[in-house]
Amino acid sequence: MFKNYHIVVFRDQHGVCRKLRLRGWLFAAILILAAMLVAGNVFLVRYFYNYKQMERDVTAKEKQAMEQTTQLLALSEKVKTLEADLTRLRGFDAKLRLMVGLDKEPRDVSPEGAGDKDFEKKYLPLYRQEMLTRKLHEFLGRLRDTASLERARQRELFDALSQEGSLPASMPMSWPVTGWISSPFGERVSPFTGKKELHKGLDISAPIGTPVVAPADGTVTFAGEADDGGFAVTVDHGGGLTTSYSHLRDAEVAAGQTVKRGQLIGHVGDLGQSTGPHLHYETRLGGVPVDPMRYILE
């Protein structure tokens, strides 16, 4: 290790040589350094290969996570739609039960947890799959219980309707005209006097000439010009229930005539005490104005 070693380098055709003298430990150090460089290169190559592999894995996981997030969001939209459909079904059932007298007061049909309108907060917090699974199972359990209850209610309702016979046909359950509600039933400020008043019906805005149809079977008790101008029609549906239609351009029926649901009774006008083309639609029970939305099944 401590001996001297000579390395002689000859240059061809010149007769010149160079001589290097190395000690044994220096020669060993050079060999060790060369071995370390080779080992370091091998390590770096393997590290680079592993890094690339991890990079590909991370990219694949990110893509998978994005796909799962998209699927979860799509699932949340489907469950929200299912909740809305269930609420509409319960509302439909509640209105029918109120009509046939099975319920005395309107039933609350809002879904459980309706105070939290944000579905993602209820069912998709931070998009955690385990939380989604648990919440989804809870929702499906509630849905199963609610569906069982609604089936029992539907059987009770079916029996009541069977006993009533023609009652549903004479109930004003459909819209008399296609339009939008510009003034609902209830207390409002009069656009003519500026004072509070009870608006006794629905104002349904629609273009002049839009057909107005009977929402249920009945007998016309009045058809002609109203006191404030324009035409009006009143239909008796039996059981003390009547509907009336005001601000019509014309009346296509006559007093004493029997009408069926969907039959034309007139057209939307803009006559009389009116702020624009619309139908004033009233529903009275025993002569007392009631909200027409109580009977309309959306």
Side-chain angles (χ1 to χ4, degrees):
M1 181 66 68
F2 297 99
K3 293 181 178 180
N4 292 327
Y5 294 86
H6 296 271
I7 300 176
V8 181
V9 180
F10 293 95
R11 297 184 61 183
D12 292 343
Q13 300 177 357
H14 295 282
V16 179
C17 67
R18 288 181 179 276
K19 183 169 61 175
L20 300 177
R21 186 177 64 180
L22 299 175
R23 289 188 177 274
W25 62 268
L26 183 59
F27 185 71
I30 292 174
L31 292 178
I32 293 174
L33 180 61
M36 291 179 62
L37 289 175
V38 172
N41 287 333
V42 171
F43 173 78
L44 290 175
V45 169
R46 293 187 62 183
Y47 178 82
F48 179 77
Y49 174 79
N50 291 334
Y51 172 79
K52 287 297 183 181
Q53 184 63 37
M54 291 175 61
E55 190 177 47
R56 288 193 294 268
D57 292 342
V58 169
T59 302
K61 293 295 183 183
E62 289 179 346
K63 182 178 179 181
Q64 184 180 10
M66 289 294 295
E67 292 175 352
Q68 290 177 346
T69 299
T70 302
Q71 292 174 359
L72 292 180
L73 291 175
L75 180 61
S76 73
E77 291 298 326
K78 290 181 180 180
V79 177
K80 280 195 291 188
T81 302
L82 187 59
E83 271 193 328
D85 292 340
L86 178 60
T87 301
R88 282 195 293 269
L89 176 63
R90 296 177 68 184
F92 181 90
D93 174 79
K95 286 188 176 182
L96 278 179
R97 294 173 68 83
L98 197 63
M99 284 186 224
V100 301
L102 290 178
D103 291 342
K104 300 303 181 183
E105 296 293 335
R107 179 162 54 95
D108 182 16
V109 299
S110 59
E112 296 180 11
D116 187 359
K117 300 292 185 181
D118 191 351
F119 177 84
E120 282 71 22
K121 290 182 180 178
K122 292 195 297 179
Y123 296 109
L124 207 59
L126 301 179
Y127 303 115
R128 293 174 58 187
Q129 296 185 24
E130 65 276 11
M131 185 65 73
L132 172 65
T133 302
R134 181 166 61 84
K135 292 292 185 181
L136 185 57
H137 279 297
E138 291 178 3
F139 171 76
L140 292 178
R142 288 193 294 106
L143 181 62
R144 182 176 57 253
D145 296 340
T146 304
S148 299
L149 178 61
E150 289 301 321
R151 280 197 295 269
R153 290 181 178 275
Q154 293 293 329
R155 284 195 295 270
E156 183 184 9
L157 181 60
F158 179 78
D159 293 339
L161 291 178
S162 298
Q163 294 175 3
E164 294 291 341
S166 62
L167 178 62
S170 61
M171 284 290 178
M173 297 185 295
S174 59
W175 291 92
V177 67
T178 301
W180 61 96
I181 297 177
S182 54
S183 182
F185 175 89
E187 191 177 80
R188 70 169 185 178
V189 176
S190 172
F192 304 103
T193 65
K195 299 179 180 179
K196 286 188 176 181
E197 65 174 7
L198 174 65
H199 189 225
K200 300 177 181 178
L202 294 178
D203 284 348
I204 307 175
S205 296
I208 294 178
T210 302
V212 178
V213 300
D217 298 353
T219 302
V220 178
T221 57
F222 176 82
E225 291 191 34
D227 294 336
D228 61 348
F231 287 85
V233 173
T234 301
V235 179
D236 184 359
H237 301 283
L241 181 63
T242 62
T243 55
S244 61
Y245 316 82
S246 305
H247 306 306
L248 296 175
R249 186 185 65 181
D250 51 35
E252 297 290 341
V253 292
Q257 180 180 342
T258 300
V259 294
K260 295 291 184 182
R261 175 178 287 132
Q263 181 176 336
L264 180 67
I265 60 176
H267 296 86
V268 172
D270 187 19
L271 303 173
Q273 197 173 24
S274 171
T275 57
H278 73 281
L279 170 70
H280 178 75
Y281 174 50
E282 286 189 15
T283 303
R284 292 177 180 259
L285 185 60
V288 179
V290 295
D291 189 353
M293 294 301 296
R294 172 179 175 179
Y295 298 95
I296 295 175
L297 299 178
E298 298 178 285

